Amino acid sequence: MEEKNSFLKEKIDLKSPNKNIVPISTSIGEDGKLSIGGCSIEELVKKYDSPLYILDEITLRNSCRAYKQALEKYYPGESLPIYASKANSSLFMSKLVSSEGLGLDAVSEGELLTALKGGVPNEKIVFHGNNKSDKEIEFAVRNNINVIVDNDYDLDRLEKLSNLSNNELEIMIRFTPGIECHTHEYIKTGSFDSKFGFGIEYLETLFSRINKTKHLKLKGLHAHIGSQIFELDPHKDLGEIMVKVILEAKKYGHNIDKLNVGGGLGIKYTENDDPPSIDEWVRTISTSVTKACKKHNLDLPILMCEPGRSIVSTAGITIYKIGAFKKIPGIRTYLSVDGGMSDNPRPITYQSNYSACLVGNPLNINSKNKYTIAGKHCESGDVLFKEIELSDCKTGDLICVFGTGAYNISMSSNYNRIPRPAALLVCDGEAEIIQKRESPSDLLKYDVLPDRFIKQS
Ligand code: LLP
């Protein structure tokens, strides 16, 4: 008997879930089948159908705690980890992160509302975006949410609003530090050529511009250099650059006391990935900011960071049911599942790789077949795995894909009018729905037939 999928036998890192492929509570029962959070996946699918997103509560909480604890350990000043909700935004996620004392980063009125309704305290929410609408900016200001100014257009409107209310308004600004990091082109944000934030060369003009406003008070700086980053040096450099910008701003009379260094820590999607731990990442940033402040005799600012993927990705799995097989002699065997690019657009968008196993034979005993796992959408590129090794499997068997907690449900679509899967939370043998499954008729809810077409028979 040859067992493959050694990732399922690796020792789990409880303190830094981003270093594991599987959620912390993953186990293989006496029957040799996969379970999570003490729940048999087969039973969950019998009850809730497939495809199915599942989140593991213990993994989520451990990730939040790892950020909090590391900041308390390494940063002598005040600090706040802020969950980047674009990774996975829901009432449940808002509740969970706020129960762990984290703040939340939102980029739209929808994400803001989800945070507020989920109980995140207003003062712990930051509002980002390179093209906020008037309505969104007004909503944020009315609700005392920290607006991160991305460009002059934001500044104009905030100036107007503060003049109208005749009240002081504290702002933070986002700038591009010009740091290159090794990640997919689409998820790099800190290089000079980016749509986000002010160019670093523009900051002096910006500082004098803010000085000319009556009510705007520049209190914070923000930068985010990219996502799924495995190197530590870019974040070390970022800390130093941000402290230099604080010094520059001081020359213009601005006392910046908040530094938000963004997110970006990578996770382990496959056995080839080896991201730093949350502890190492936070230590790097904290040390870099602390040292630079000491060197320049500056008081320590409040340190904020904005992890998204490394909080939620490893906590999530997606379960699919196998349907059709197509063997092309001498070429490949396609195995099609009941989901695909509408519930996980990352493989087709970024050529992302994941790890997977059969729920009924997770260790892949006697695996000898290579399959290409295709989604069910009308698009040839809708392929979740190219050439994955699996033991014999048949129509009706279940496949578990790991690491899907981030940027899956939040980037999902209804392409081909396919309803979104349900999402469950599992913990201690209990499973609860956190997002209901859509039905095909739900998808008609926003369709409208103009009267004259109704009258036509
Ligand atoms: N803060 C800001 C301002 C961001 O733009 C982002 C991510 C984060 C924090 C969180 O970054 P994280 O810790 O998750 O790396 N859809 C892509 C990822 C896009 C990330 C966008 N910004 C993907 O699926 O890989």
Side-chain angles (χ1 to χ4, degrees):
M1 245 180 25
E2 200 197 348
E3 290 181 354
K4 298 264 176 78
N5 284 357
S6 53
F7 65 87
L8 277 157
K9 296 212 139 179
E10 273 174 11
K11 194 169 173 297
I12 299 253
D13 189 328
L14 294 173
K15 292 217 167 120
S16 200
N18 71 314
K19 288 186 74 65
N20 308 318
I21 290 180
V22 305
I24 289 174
S25 73
T26 307
S27 66
I28 298 174
E30 279 170 15
D31 57 359
K33 296 180 180 176
L34 197 69
S35 66
I36 174 170
C39 302
S40 143
I41 291 177
E42 270 187 11
E43 293 304 317
L44 293 180
V45 171
K46 270 187 205 150
K47 186 158 177 198
Y48 298 100
D49 209 353
S50 72
L52 194 57
Y53 292 121
I54 304 177
L55 280 181
D56 179 36
E57 185 169 342
I58 180 90
T59 309
L60 284 172
R61 292 202 184 273
N62 280 20
S63 309
C64 294
R65 287 172 196 172
Y67 273 102
K68 262 207 101 113
Q69 285 163 6
L71 280 164
E72 278 158 20
K73 182 157 125 200
Y74 297 115
Y75 193 66
E78 216 182 302
S79 60
L80 179 67
I82 296 174
Y83 167 61
S85 72
K86 68 208 78 187
N88 188 330
S89 168
S90 66
L91 282 181
F92 163 73
M93 280 305 296
S94 306
K95 264 274 181 276
L96 181 119
V97 297
S98 56
S99 76
E100 291 294 335
L102 272 61
L104 186 144
D105 140 16
V107 298
S108 65
E109 192 177 340
E111 285 184 1
L112 283 172
L113 198 63
T114 310
L116 289 170
K117 294 263 181 211
V120 185
N122 305 40
E123 69 281 4
K124 285 190 174 176
I125 302 176
V126 297
F127 182 43
H128 278 289
N130 63 307
N131 195 21
K132 304 169 184 84
S133 69
D134 290 349
K135 191 164 162 257
E136 286 174 326
I137 289 222
E138 283 159 25
F139 181 87
V141 170
R142 205 169 48 245
N143 285 286
N144 290 324
I145 286 162
N146 298 290
V147 177
I148 314 257
V149 178
D150 203 89
N151 46 49
D152 281 315
Y153 181 42
D154 279 355
L155 205 62
D156 291 343
R157 291 173 297 165
L158 289 170
E159 184 178 4
K160 227 189 219 163
L161 287 174
S162 63
N163 287 344
L164 273 175
S165 67
N166 209 16
N167 276 331
E168 186 179 295
L169 189 60
E170 293 191 357
I171 54 168
M172 296 183 69
I173 54 165
R174 176 171 183 169
F175 72 102
T176 41
I179 292 177
E180 288 294 336
C181 48
H182 293 112
T183 189
H184 194 284
E185 199 55 41
Y186 292 180
I187 54 181
K188 274 186 193 173
T189 47
S191 43
F192 291 125
D193 183 4
S194 163
K195 70 170 181 171
F196 298 107
F198 293 96
I200 201 163
E201 74 295 339
Y202 184 70
L203 292 182
E204 295 190 30
T205 314
L206 180 65
F207 295 149
S208 5
R209 188 181 157 201
I210 296 173
N211 273 337
K212 290 190 194 107
T213 67
K214 209 162 157 203
H215 299 292
L216 297 185
K217 281 271 159 309
L218 176 57
K219 296 302 279 181
L221 294 180
H222 173 278
H224 169 78
I225 58 178
S227 202
Q228 184 61 358
I229 300 170
F230 286 0
E231 307 149 282
L232 289 169
D233 278 351
H235 280 98
K236 175 173 169 281
D237 296 347
L238 178 65
E240 289 163 8
I241 293 175
M242 291 186 92
V243 170
K244 281 193 189 137
V245 176
I246 297 189
L247 287 171
E248 201 53 44
K250 242 186 182 352
K251 294 187 195 154
Y252 291 80
H254 300 294
N255 282 320
I256 288 176
D257 60 10
K258 289 182 194 159
L259 271 198
N260 182 335
V261 297
L265 174 61
I267 70 143
K268 182 172 173 122
Y269 283 108
T270 69
E271 283 172 288
N272 297 328
D273 295 333
D274 187 19
S277 66
I278 294 173
D279 189 87
E280 287 172 293
W281 189 85
V282 170
R283 188 182 59 205
T284 303
I285 296 270
S286 303
T287 315
S288 150
V289 172
T290 314
K291 269 193 182 162
C293 285
K294 199 165 173 195
K295 183 169 158 199
H296 299 288
N297 217 6
L298 275 179
D299 289 341
L300 286 181
I302 301 172
L303 182 61
M304 300 162 163
C305 59
E306 282 170 350
R309 191 189 314 265
S310 53
I311 296 276
V312 64
S313 219
T314 312
I317 58 175
T318 306
I319 312 300
Y320 300 100
K321 196 174 277 172
I322 301 176
F325 285 79
K326 177 180 177 180
K327 191 169 183 169
I328 309 175
I331 301 186
R332 69 178 78 249
T333 300
Y334 282 98
L335 163 175
S336 294
V337 293
D338 52 357
M341 62 183 283
S342 62
D343 60 78
N344 184 0
R346 298 191 72 257
I348 198 167
T349 314
Y350 316 112
Q351 300 76 50
S352 311
N353 294 311
Y354 286 87
S355 299
C357 70
L358 291 167
V359 169
N361 181 0
L363 292 175
N364 229 353
I365 294 167
N366 295 333
S367 76
K368 47 183 182 301
N369 312 300
K370 283 203 168 154
Y371 293 102
T372 289
I373 303 186
K376 67 180 268 127
H377 302 81
C378 280
E379 181 117 357
S380 299
D382 179 25
V383 163
L384 294 173
F385 290 85
K386 284 187 184 130
E387 303 284 289
I388 182 172
E389 215 173 286
L390 290 179
S391 2
D392 278 340
C393 51
K394 57 181 186 318
T395 300
D397 286 353
L398 301 176
I399 289 187
C400 171
V401 180
F402 295 96
T404 59
Y407 304 114
N408 272 229
I409 196 166
S410 62
M411 289 175 64
S412 62
S413 73
N414 291 124
Y415 181 45
N416 295 151
R417 288 248 146 158
I418 292 182
R420 286 184 178 79
L424 300 181
L425 175 72
V426 289
C427 186
D428 290 340
E430 300 280 332
E432 290 153 294
I433 294 194
I434 52 174
Q435 208 138 314
K436 288 186 205 162
R437 182 177 299 283
E438 286 175 345
S439 69
S441 54
D442 287 336
L443 306 185
L444 291 174
K445 253 200 249 172
Y446 295 99
D447 283 17
V448 178
L449 269 183
D451 276 351
R452 64 196 176 86
F453 286 83
I454 299 175
K455 282 175 205 138
Q456 268 175 18
S457 53

